[in-house]
Amino acid sequence: MAGAVLSRDAGSRSPVAAPHLSLAIVSAATALALIVFTVPLTTLGPTAEALALGPGAEAWLLSAMPLGAATGLLGSAALGDDHGRTLVFLWGLGVMAAASVIGALAPSGLVIIAARVGQGLGGAAVMACGLGLVGRLYPEGRARATATGVWAAGLGAGVATGPILAALATDLGGWPAAYWGTAILSLALLLAGRGLLPPAEARRPQPADRLGTILLMAGLAMLMSALTEMRFGLASPTVVGLLGGGAAALAAFVFVELRHPRPILDLSLFRGAAFCAATWAAFASGAGILALMTMVPTLLMRAMGASALSAAIIMTAWSATSIVTALGARWVPEALTPRRLMIGALLACALAQMLLFGVSAERAALLLPGLFLAGAANGILNAALGRQAVATVPPDRSAMGSGANNTARYLGSAIGITLGAILMAHGSETGGIAGLLDGWNAIVLITTGFSVLGALVVGIARNGTRPIATQERP
């Protein structure tokens, strides 16, 4: 295996032996970040009942972690590039552990939503710097394709095991048990990472882009709030104010990034078709297949009467399949470039999503063909995105490339999940199970549209195979 070869971590004087140990830690932490992401999928009911959460708060509970991740990924990537990926990666695990403890002790909906945002911020550091570490430890070519396939399998493993572990923990110790479990796992990986990960790169600290980070977080938070409040009407003053404020904050973010000496997002990267294609494909993945799969447990439990554990087990038709195909991506012929894989996988995701349209409350088994196809396509897509995220940026910006890619994915998922939660909750309130199923069909069509649009954009980027990493940074 490529991990048996000695590698040198840039900026460090000591060689890094057995990179496969670092890959194991990074992949396990990536899986944990996705476990944290999935905790509410099978604990939403007990949590909402215990903390008296309404439909709006439930939507926030589902989307708070991806929102925190989306707002923290670019800042974490910049910190990793400037202060050392290992250091920021370990800090991310610490933040995730602390936020999990706060979530377990939360006395109200506001506190647990804040804790979920904190978990997202910690997960952001893990995701951005973890994939950046993989990109530095493994050279371009087959070795990197294998390593990013293992990393992508970590994504699938987290999604596969998260709902099951959360359901089992809830049965044993109530809804806080899942949060205690993620806190313990975060601390265990933090201790293992301190001993096994390569030393932090010796770098000269650069001016921190604090204002850019704040503006990005504020802009995305206001836009997400506007989506949540839209259930009360598109023209309400609150929605209009939040949309305007969010747009203004994001415009200010672009203004700051264009002038900051060390921005959290180098906007010149968008001059490259490969970077644009990978970023949009990640957004389409989040707003498309990931958002829809997130809503499947709600469909199973509230419309089909499945238990939390049964819903989690049915979900493995998607998540476990994605692990297999992500690992198998290493054997994909070289002629199938990451661009072609992204197009094919997004179109396959769209087909899988349409197979889930029009399901009935009595036939849960009819979901399985769509779930299996979605898992197969999603595994290939994750592997291709992981490879492109670090291949389309200069070597010293690999964490930024990973951060931008995962920001797009989590932003897309936050938007898709919020829309799905609102549509299904509104349908349930107005029409019971029939209304919930109508809401489900609406979100199937919306998320399928994101997948198809993603494939079209990647297809248009015809020079998307040219690696930006070989170019000088402006």
Side-chain angles (χ1 to χ4, degrees):
M1 181 179 174
V5 181
L6 286 180
S7 160
R8 185 173 297 275
D9 192 56
S12 174
R13 294 184 179 276
S14 59
V16 178
H20 60 278
L21 293 177
S22 295
L23 178 61
I25 294 295
V26 169
S27 299
T30 299
L32 179 58
L34 270 293
I35 289 173
V36 170
F37 176 88
T38 61
V39 163
L41 303 189
T42 49
T43 63
L44 181 60
T47 306
E49 183 179 355
L51 300 180
L53 304 181
E58 288 186 17
W60 268 110
L61 186 60
L62 287 169
S63 60
M65 193 275 184
L67 175 62
T71 56
L73 275 159
L74 289 172
S76 298
L79 288 173
D81 283 334
D82 294 338
H83 297 274
R85 297 176 182 88
T86 297
L87 178 65
V88 177
F89 178 87
L90 295 175
W91 267 101
L93 286 169
V95 170
M96 202 153 60
S100 296
V101 171
I102 294 172
L105 299 173
S108 66
L110 180 61
V111 174
I112 197 168
I113 290 170
R116 291 287 294 167
V117 172
Q119 287 179 320
L121 292 172
V126 169
M127 297 283 286
C129 294
L131 187 54
L133 280 170
V134 172
R136 297 182 69 86
L137 289 169
Y138 288 87
E140 181 59 78
R142 182 64 67 179
R144 177 175 287 181
T146 299
T148 52
V150 173
W151 176 85
L155 294 174
V159 175
T161 59
I164 296 175
L165 294 175
L168 291 173
T170 302
D171 288 342
L172 293 174
W175 67 265
Y179 291 87
W180 287 118
T182 55
I184 293 170
L185 291 173
S186 297
L187 288 174
L189 283 171
L190 173 59
L191 294 175
R194 289 189 63 186
L196 295 176
L197 290 176
E201 307 94 323
R203 293 177 179 271
R204 179 179 299 175
Q206 301 291 329
D209 185 11
R210 296 186 180 88
L211 180 57
T213 302
I214 293 171
L215 287 171
L216 178 64
M217 182 175 293
L220 294 180
M222 282 189 281
L223 291 180
M224 291 301 303
S225 298
L227 283 175
T228 303
E229 294 300 316
M230 279 181 184
R231 69 188 191 279
F232 298 120
L234 294 176
S236 71
T238 301
V239 171
V240 173
L242 288 171
L243 287 175
L250 293 179
F253 167 74
V254 172
F255 180 85
V256 169
E257 298 308 281
L258 290 172
R259 289 157 178 77
H260 199 280
R262 197 70 170 178
I264 60 173
L265 178 60
D266 185 351
L267 297 179
S268 67
L269 292 173
F270 287 97
R271 298 173 184 169
F275 181 82
C276 290
T279 303
W280 180 258
F283 178 85
S285 169
I289 195 66
L290 183 56
L292 185 62
M293 292 299 104
T294 301
M295 305 311 301
V296 168
T298 301
L299 175 73
L300 289 167
M301 289 185 288
R302 295 188 175 180
M304 301 180 178
S307 67
L309 183 58
S310 297
I313 293 173
I314 292 173
M315 279 290 290
T316 59
W318 168 60
S319 51
T321 305
S322 71
I323 301 173
V324 175
T325 54
L327 290 172
R330 73 184 76 177
W331 292 297
V332 171
E334 293 287 347
L336 291 176
T337 62
R339 172 177 169 269
R340 292 177 179 174
L341 290 175
M342 287 189 293
I343 294 171
L346 283 167
L347 290 176
C349 284
L351 175 59
Q353 288 164 264
M354 287 309 300
L355 289 176
L356 301 176
F357 182 83
V359 297
S360 66
E362 296 79 22
R363 302 291 297 276
L366 293 178
L367 295 172
L368 292 178
L371 292 177
F372 278 120
L373 178 57
N378 192 61
I380 294 293
L381 181 59
N382 283 339
L385 286 173
R387 187 175 177 183
Q388 286 294 85
V390 294
T392 57
V393 295
D396 66 332
R397 298 281 88 180
S398 62
M400 181 181 288
S402 170
N405 196 270
N406 283 300
T407 295
R409 188 201 308 265
Y410 275 106
L411 176 59
S413 67
I415 292 173
I417 290 168
T418 301
L419 288 173
I422 291 171
L423 287 171
M424 292 178 71
H426 177 72
S428 179
E429 288 177 347
T430 58
I433 292 179
L436 188 147
L437 290 173
D438 288 340
W440 165 262
N441 288 332
I443 197 62
V444 167
L445 294 176
I446 292 171
T447 57
T448 300
F450 278 119
S451 295
V452 172
L453 185 58
L456 288 174
V457 171
V458 177
I460 291 171
R462 294 192 177 277
N463 63 335
T465 57
R466 181 169 57 90
I468 267 182
T470 62
Q471 300 174 352
E472 292 293 328
R473 181 169 180 258

